């Protein structure tokens, strides 16, 4: 047993000596090996400095700063416009926000908004977000339940209990009021804009909405809803960009078209005025004739009969020559009563 103990002590001393040699060797390297390690460290540091301060990294940093500044400008643009609606009521601050967003005055912020909207449309179309949400929910709950049960079984203290915060997070009332106010402003923005388009307060916007609705009526038969939403978002974002990029040319063409339409409208208005005036004159003439005739008829029906005395000249004059008959007239015979009853004797009636 003493020999075994001596052997074990010898092995332990040998192990200690070997460790000391290794440590001594690590601290007392050869100058050439030390120089090689320093060169590698220097080269790595130089490469990092080149990448960190190079043109690529500087460009990325500049783009990040510009994007942050444009997002701040877009957020600061949410102010109530000075010009009210046609009814005199003030507009919402989302009017200025969406006007600034769609005008591409901050191109990076507008590009991020368009990319986010397109990504959301594709995510709704191709990703089963609802099922993924349910899956993530049961997985998280399963992990927390298993950790709590395992902790209580092993150390009599659940792991989820140890990770539990001392105070649960709550939404401050100020934050909630701000969120509710923003939602109210956003809803009122869509309500007001719909009414302004319906009542043609902004005629170009009403025309654009009518054309879009007309085209969508036929596209919805052959294009799915997500494709129609994608097309609408693209048109909504890029039509203002095309207009701002070619504003002078588009304004010139619009002015030329407006002049042509105004000239044709003026010509039609002149012709219509002449025809209306001619029709008015004819109507007045016919109405005057009919009125005169009607008045004469009414006057004749209401006037009393004429009692003008009859004069001798109103009748024809009688003939002054003696009337001669063509048949000769004989002397009238005298009547004798005796001769009248001579030939006829009445019988005597004897009683």
């Amino acid at each position: 047993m003493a020999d075994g103990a001596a052997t074990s002590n010898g092995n332990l001393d040998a192990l200690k000596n070997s460790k000391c040699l290794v440590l001594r060797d690590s601290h007392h390297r050869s100058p050439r090996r030390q120089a090689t390690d320093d060169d590698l460290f220097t080269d790595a540091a130089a490469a990092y400095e080149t990448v960190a301060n190079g043109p690529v990294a500087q460009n990325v940093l500049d783009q990040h700063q510009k994007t942050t500044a444009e997002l701040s400008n877009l957020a600061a643009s949410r102010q109530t416009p000075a010009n009210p609606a046609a009814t005199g009521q003030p507009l919402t601050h989302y009017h200025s926000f969406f006007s600034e967003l769609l005008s591409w005055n901050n191109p990076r912020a507008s590009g991020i908004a368009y990319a986010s909207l397109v990504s959301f449309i594709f995510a709704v179309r191709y990703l089963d977000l609802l099922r993924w949400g349910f899956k993530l929910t049961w997985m998280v709950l399963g992990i927390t339940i298993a950790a709590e049960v395992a902790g209580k079984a092993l150390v009599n203290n659940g792991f989820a209990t140890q990770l539990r915060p001392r105070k649960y997070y709550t939404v401050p009332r100020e934050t909630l009021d701000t969120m509710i106010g923003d939602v109210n402003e956003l809803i009122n923005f869509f309500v007001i804009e719909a009414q302004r388009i319906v009542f043609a307060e902004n005629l170009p916007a009403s025309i654009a909405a009518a054309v879009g609705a007309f085209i969508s009526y036929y596209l919805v038969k052959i294009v799915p809803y997500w494709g129609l939403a994608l097309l609408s978002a693209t048109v909504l974002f890029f039509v203002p960009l095309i207009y701002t990029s070619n504003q002078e040319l588009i304004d010139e063409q619009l002015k030329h078209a407006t002049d042509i339409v105004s000239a044709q409208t003026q010509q039609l208005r002149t012709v219509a005025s002449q025809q209306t005036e001619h029709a008015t004159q004819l109507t007045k003439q016919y109405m005057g004739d009919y009125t005169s005739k009607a008045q004469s008829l009414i006057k004749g029906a209401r006037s009393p009969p004429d009692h003008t005395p009859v004069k001798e000249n109103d009748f024809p004059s009688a003939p002054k020559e003696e009337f001669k008959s063509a048949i000769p007239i004989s002397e009238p015979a005298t009547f004798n009563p005796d001769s009248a009853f001579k030939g006829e004797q009445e019988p005597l009636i004897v009683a």
Side-chain angles (χ1 to χ4, degrees):
M1 292 179 65
D3 294 338
T7 304
S8 61
N9 291 331
N11 293 334
L12 183 60
D13 294 336
L15 181 60
K16 289 182 179 179
N17 292 331
S18 64
K19 288 184 178 181
C20 291
L21 290 174
V22 172
L23 291 174
R24 190 182 301 114
D25 182 68
S26 62
H27 286 290
H28 300 284
R29 291 179 180 178
S30 62
R32 184 176 180 181
R33 181 65 178 273
Q34 187 71 27
T36 303
D37 292 342
D38 292 341
D39 292 340
L40 290 175
F41 180 77
T42 304
D43 292 341
Y48 176 78
E49 289 292 332
T50 302
V51 173
N53 298 324
V56 177
Q58 192 65 32
N59 188 18
V60 172
L61 182 60
D62 293 341
Q63 294 297 327
H64 175 70
Q65 292 177 353
K66 292 180 180 178
T67 302
T68 304
E70 290 186 2
L71 290 174
S72 300
N73 294 334
L74 183 62
S77 66
R78 296 197 310 170
Q79 298 178 1
T80 303
N83 298 326
T87 57
Q89 61 190 116
L91 302 177
T92 64
H93 61 253
Y94 276 103
H95 283 83
S96 56
F97 174 79
F98 283 112
S99 177
E100 185 74 12
L101 177 64
L102 298 178
S103 63
W104 291 82
N105 293 330
N106 301 298
R108 293 171 181 81
S110 299
I112 291 173
Y114 174 72
S116 302
L117 183 59
V118 171
S119 301
F120 176 75
I121 293 173
F122 278 108
V124 172
R125 172 62 181 85
Y126 292 103
L127 301 179
D128 197 353
L129 299 178
L130 184 61
R131 292 188 65 232
W132 286 9
F134 287 139
K135 183 178 180 180
L136 181 63
T137 300
W138 74 257
M139 289 178 67
V140 170
L141 292 177
I143 291 173
T144 56
I145 293 171
E148 183 68 15
V149 172
K152 287 185 177 182
L154 296 176
V155 296
N156 200 20
N157 192 4
F159 295 118
T161 302
Q162 297 178 7
L163 297 175
R164 183 185 305 153
R166 295 182 179 180
K167 185 179 180 181
Y168 287 118
Y169 176 78
T170 57
V171 179
R173 185 177 182 84
E174 295 78 9
T175 304
L176 189 60
D177 291 340
T178 303
M179 294 174 59
I180 293 174
D182 286 340
V183 172
N184 184 29
E185 290 286 312
L186 184 61
I187 294 174
N188 286 332
F189 164 75
F190 288 107
V191 172
I192 292 174
E193 281 301 307
Q195 294 177 86
R196 294 176 70 187
I197 289 174
V198 169
F199 295 104
E201 179 177 340
N202 188 359
L203 191 58
S206 300
I207 294 174
V211 173
F214 177 77
I215 296 175
S216 300
Y217 173 75
Y218 291 98
L219 286 180
V220 76
K221 299 179 181 179
I222 57 177
V223 178
Y225 289 109
W226 69 269
L228 192 63
L230 181 63
L231 180 62
S232 301
T234 304
V235 171
L236 185 64
F237 273 87
F238 283 95
V239 166
L241 178 60
I242 295 172
Y243 174 74
T244 54
S245 302
N246 307 276
Q247 185 173 1
E248 296 182 358
L249 178 62
I250 295 175
D251 288 343
E252 183 179 356
Q253 297 299 324
L254 289 176
K255 185 177 182 302
H256 182 65
T258 303
D259 294 339
I260 294 176
V261 172
S262 299
Q264 294 295 330
T265 305
Q266 184 65 29
Q267 182 178 2
L268 292 175
R269 188 182 295 113
T270 303
V271 173
S273 177
Q274 293 176 356
Q275 295 296 329
T276 303
E277 184 178 0
H278 182 66
T280 304
Q281 295 296 333
L282 289 177
T283 303
K284 287 182 179 180
Q285 181 179 355
Y286 288 135
M287 290 299 295
D289 295 341
Y290 292 146
T291 303
S292 300
K293 292 181 179 180
Q295 289 179 354
S296 62
L297 291 174
I298 294 172
K299 185 177 179 181
R302 292 182 177 179
S303 61
D306 193 5
H307 297 284
T308 306
V310 181
K311 298 181 181 180
E312 185 179 358
N313 296 329
D314 294 337
F315 298 95
S317 58
K320 297 180 179 180
E321 296 180 355
E322 184 179 357
F323 180 75
K324 295 181 179 181
S325 176
I327 301 174
I329 301 174
S330 60
E331 292 290 335
T334 58
F335 178 71
N336 190 2
D338 297 331
S339 60
F341 297 101
K342 184 178 181 181
E344 183 179 355
Q345 293 182 0
E346 296 180 358
L348 295 176
I349 300 173
V350 179

